[in-house]
Amino acid sequence: MCGIVGYVGPQQCTDILVDGLRRLEYRGYDSAGLAIYDGKKVGVVRAVGKLQNLVKALREHPLEGSLGIGHTRWATHGRPTEGNAHPHVAGDVALVHNGIIENHLELKRQLVEQGVKFSSDTDTEIVAHLVHRERQAGHDLATSLRRALALVHGAYAVAVIDAKQPDRIVVAKNASPLVIGFGDGEMFCASDIPAILPYTKRMLPLEEGEFGVLTRDGLELTTLDGKPIDRAPRTITWNASQAEKSGYKHFMLKEIHEQPRAIEDTLRGRVDLHAADVVESEIGIDANTARSIQRVYFLACGTSHHAALYGRFLVESIAKIPATTELASEFIGRDPVVGPNDLVVCVSQSGETLDTLAALRVAKEQGAKLLAIANVIDSAIPRAAGSSFYTHAGPEIGVASTKCFTTQLAAMVLLAVFIARRRDVLDKDRAQSILQALVEIPHQMRSVLSLDDNIRDLARSLAGARSALFLGRGVSYPAAVEGALKLKEISYIHAEGYAAGEMKHGPIALIDADMPVIAIMPDDKSYEKIASNVQEAKAREGRVIAVANRGNADIGAIAQSVIYTPKVDPLLSPLITTLPLQLLSYFVADFKGTDVDQPRNLAKTVTVE
Ligand code: G6P
């Protein structure tokens, strides 16, 4: 997720901007840059990698002035290079952006036809050129940005300055965060509160569709189409570390709550509801590959392996192709047989996991078709695969994966529908209903996340458990194994995720009154069967906690506690049932006082075999 900082006032702002960017480092980034007005023109300095590289570049090419914008870039469109780093310049205009421009291809084509030359691969540069075009047509900076944004679909927080109107920063927000800071004769803007907290505590977070002009005298706040808004700043009482976590106690909890937004970002520009289809240019494989493959082979580790289990389920049930999911470390540990008729999909949030990379290389040697699903653009696995499909979860700081996992689940739905439509095995109506249900998932997720308090109470009663069993069947099996993994990762309670049908072949021997059994049992074709399995657990005094759909009148009779979730398309239920399990693990760990964001012995990115 990119970070934005802006300053207008009496002070030299280079250090203020760099300092602000430093406080946004936790958001993750791969390049950074500043644009500062020096009294005559806007100078830009950018650098790939850590902020110290930008500081070094600024030593070689100093920027001075008291109007400026800064940016840390988390690559989504275009590799992490200096040319793709922000700010982007067009004429006298310099602009920074956080978000994703959905219709970037179309807008770029139009601008290229008008003779515009692009110097980057980013979607952001398009907005800079659109603003510049409006400036040339004689509009002031604010009107130019308004007119440019009227053409843009997507998510954005933008901040723009112009050497020809050098007393202001113009900002706008739609779906990406931006907060305005009120100083004494100076104004700030930033993606998040900590960036500017040392300078002011008076802040105004912008709301969707708001537009602001910042000058030394204050903020002129309007809607995007110019209607005045009267809202006063509030005083922030958080300290800097609380502010980094937006007031949440841990990054993991913050990231759990970011999931609706992460799914929206991952779906943005990729779903064509009208055509009941997935946009081909976004998915990393072409129609020919989708038609010709005879098997899909998912390879992954850890949480990504659980997303891959869901991928297997969907590819078979929606796209009707045989599919296999395997742990990458096991794949390289035997003599696997894959070939040109197989699509090997390597799934990895970091894109750097060594086992997955090694497995990909084995598949490549054998001539399989390759696709990487990753969250980090241009990381090793997408580069080695040559074809990639990026999730847009933004950087995940908590070691235990949450939003990266659910965005991987959403990616699996898109992949399966894309393949199915190319092979004519999914009719338009069903494709439309799946995709419609998928775009509604963020809304359903928000309703689950509001159950926070109930789940906290339930977690208190689990904190003393020594072991727990998570059961799921069919589409809920991946959610069960992921639920167990989360609990063991952060609370250090031993937990097993099991296919419910297998319970009678072993784990049933463990069940007694001390053993919580968490059953994921939404209304779907496996419901009756898992209900029988749960009865078996109950008969042995197991303490059953069910995750079931709202409106299920019978579940109270079998389960001791129930977490009710909204009913969604049965194929998509893991995108919902996963959330209460994440919260449950989180609260259990928090009660136990473990290091939630950095659990012992675990690493976010594992680059050893
Ligand atoms: C580590 C992380 C896990 C992750 C696994 C695979 O163990 O702690 O959260 O699931 O690696 O990582 P990847 O980046 O390939 O998804």
Side-chain angles (χ1 to χ4, degrees):
M1 261 183 298
C2 304
I4 291 176
V5 190
Y7 175 83
V8 53
Q11 302 189 56
Q12 286 295 330
C13 65
T14 313
D15 291 348
I16 296 174
L17 296 178
V18 172
D19 183 47
L21 293 179
R22 213 180 292 290
R23 289 169 209 279
L24 294 177
E25 277 191 303
Y26 74 91
R27 295 167 70 83
Y29 66 104
D30 40 53
S31 55
L34 295 188
I36 293 180
Y37 174 68
D38 67 4
K40 288 200 191 93
K41 58 176 189 341
V42 172
V44 173
V45 173
R46 304 179 293 186
V48 173
K50 291 289 156 197
L51 275 177
Q52 68 205 41
N53 298 348
L54 178 67
V55 171
K56 194 160 154 255
L58 282 165
R59 253 184 249 127
E60 285 157 21
H61 307 280
L63 292 178
E64 280 194 4
S66 51
L67 168 75
I69 49 178
H71 190 267
T72 45
R73 174 171 187 254
W74 162 265
T76 58
H77 290 76
R79 302 178 52 201
T81 60
E82 188 182 330
N84 286 335
H86 302 206
H88 286 284
V89 174
D92 291 317
V93 169
L95 179 140
V96 290
H97 163 230
N98 169 23
I100 298 166
I101 306 298
E102 222 171 280
N103 55 339
H104 64 105
L105 292 176
E106 187 193 323
L107 291 171
K108 188 164 183 175
R109 200 181 47 241
Q110 288 165 10
L111 286 164
V112 168
E113 275 166 16
Q114 290 166 12
V116 172
K117 298 251 176 314
F118 280 84
S119 56
S120 79
D121 307 317
T122 62
D123 49 346
T124 302
E125 192 187 348
I126 293 162
V127 190
H129 285 294
L130 289 175
V131 175
H132 175 55
R133 190 175 72 181
E134 299 300 328
R135 290 289 283 145
Q136 282 182 313
H139 300 291
D140 67 9
L141 184 59
T143 311
S144 297
L145 181 61
R146 278 200 174 96
R147 290 173 65 92
L149 292 177
L151 304 171
V152 163
H153 305 155
Y156 53 77
V158 286
V160 55
I161 58 172
D162 185 325
K164 294 270 159 54
Q165 224 180 340
D167 63 338
R168 62 195 55 208
I169 306 175
V170 183
V171 299
K173 170 201 154 60
N174 180 44
S176 298
L178 198 69
V179 58
I180 309 296
F182 292 68
D184 208 2
E186 56 187 1
M187 292 292 287
F188 306 80
C189 63
S191 295
D192 205 352
I193 291 168
I196 49 180
L197 201 55
Y199 307 102
T200 177
K201 292 204 172 308
R202 285 198 305 138
M203 307 263 185
L204 184 74
L206 291 191
E207 291 178 4
E208 302 312 341
E210 288 188 342
F211 189 94
V213 177
L214 284 69
T215 62
R216 288 180 183 205
D217 302 330
L219 168 72
E220 186 190 305
L221 183 66
T222 60
T223 60
L224 202 50
D225 50 12
K227 289 192 196 72
I229 298 174
D230 186 15
R231 209 170 64 248
R234 58 189 169 95
T235 301
I236 300 296
T237 51
W238 300 336
N239 63 32
S241 123
Q242 282 169 320
E244 258 187 17
K245 296 171 191 147
S246 307
Y248 290 105
K249 188 168 175 189
H250 295 99
F251 280 110
M252 183 183 174
L253 187 59
K254 175 172 178 263
E255 286 158 2
I256 288 173
H257 281 268
E258 280 171 354
Q259 289 177 107
R261 169 74 64 234
I263 300 286
E264 281 162 359
D265 285 345
T266 298
L267 300 183
R268 199 178 304 287
R270 291 170 165 177
V271 176
D272 183 344
L273 277 179
H274 180 69
D277 210 347
V278 174
V279 177
E280 179 168 337
S281 58
E282 291 286 324
I283 235 58
I285 60 166
D286 58 22
N288 281 342
T289 305
R291 278 190 208 107
S292 62
I293 47 172
Q294 289 170 15
R295 181 170 58 159
V296 180
Y297 218 117
F298 291 98
L299 300 173
C301 305
T303 289
S304 295
H305 176 252
H306 301 154
L309 289 171
Y310 179 58
R312 175 183 73 182
F313 187 97
L314 292 180
V315 164
E316 293 200 327
S317 65
I318 300 179
K320 312 291 179 207
I321 313 180
T324 305
T325 287
E326 191 163 355
L327 291 164
S329 55
E330 283 300 299
F331 184 81
I332 51 178
R334 56 189 184 83
D335 296 315
V337 182
V338 290
N341 296 326
D342 294 317
L343 173 66
V344 169
V345 183
C346 290
V347 189
S348 171
Q349 49 90 16
S350 64
E352 299 287 347
T353 303
L354 194 57
D355 283 333
T356 310
L357 184 59
L360 184 139
R361 288 187 177 133
V362 170
K364 197 175 194 172
E365 271 162 27
Q366 299 194 9
K369 297 194 168 57
L370 304 171
L371 174 67
I373 297 183
N375 193 49
V376 180
I377 197 168
D378 221 25
S379 47
I381 292 169
R383 271 190 281 130
S387 303
S388 42
F389 176 12
Y390 289 108
T391 51
H392 291 313
E396 198 175 59
I397 313 284
V399 166
S401 185
T402 52
K403 61 177 182 168
C404 281
F405 176 64
T406 44
T407 54
Q408 288 171 341
L409 300 184
M412 295 301 170
V413 181
L414 296 182
L415 181 66
V417 170
F418 176 77
I419 297 174
R421 292 292 276 152
R422 297 296 145 318
R423 295 168 83 93
D424 283 334
V425 293
L426 182 67
D427 66 50
K428 190 172 176 190
D429 286 353
R430 182 65 184 124
Q432 205 149 35
S433 77
I434 294 172
L435 292 173
Q436 180 65 42
L438 185 62
V439 299
E440 286 168 13
I441 285 288
H443 171 69
Q444 314 280 20
M445 283 180 152
R446 289 188 176 97
S447 88
V448 176
L449 294 171
S450 66
L451 300 174
D452 213 318
D453 282 348
N454 306 0
I455 298 174
R456 187 196 308 255
D457 292 342
L458 197 54
R460 196 187 303 271
S461 68
L462 279 185
R466 289 188 43 229
S467 192
L469 185 62
F470 287 70
L471 299 179
R473 269 188 110 109
V475 75
S476 294
Y477 172 62
V481 284
E482 175 59 12
L485 180 65
K486 279 295 85 89
L487 188 68
K488 76 180 93 154
E489 277 180 317
I490 59 170
S491 76
Y492 314 145
I493 293 175
H494 169 252
E496 295 247 29
Y498 239 82
E502 275 291 293
M503 187 185 73
K504 55 189 172 292
H505 300 296
I508 199 165
L510 300 173
I511 293 177
D512 61 19
D514 294 330
M515 171 73 113
V517 177
I518 295 110
I520 297 95
M521 41 196 307
D523 295 348
D524 61 19
K525 64 181 182 190
S526 298
Y527 180 81
E528 296 298 333
K529 287 201 167 68
I530 192 167
S532 305
N533 303 137
V534 168
Q535 292 280 17
E536 289 154 16
K538 190 183 173 210
R540 282 147 189 94
E541 304 201 343
R543 211 184 118 207
V544 178
I545 297 168
V547 177
N549 284 140
R550 289 176 192 152
N552 181 333
D554 306 327
I555 190 71
I558 354 180
Q560 219 166 327
S561 316
V562 185
I563 301 171
Y564 288 101
T565 57
K567 193 166 175 164
V568 295
D569 187 299
L571 283 180
L572 305 188
S573 65
L575 280 143
I576 295 298
T577 54
T578 296
L579 270 55
L581 304 182
Q582 294 169 341
L583 286 169
L584 199 60
S585 299
Y586 170 78
F587 288 124
V588 170
D590 191 34
F591 281 127
K592 294 189 73 172
T594 61
D595 187 347
V596 171
D597 283 332
Q598 287 178 345
R600 67 185 182 208
N601 307 338
L602 295 180
K604 186 79 190 154
T605 304
V606 179
T607 50
V608 290
E609 280 193 358

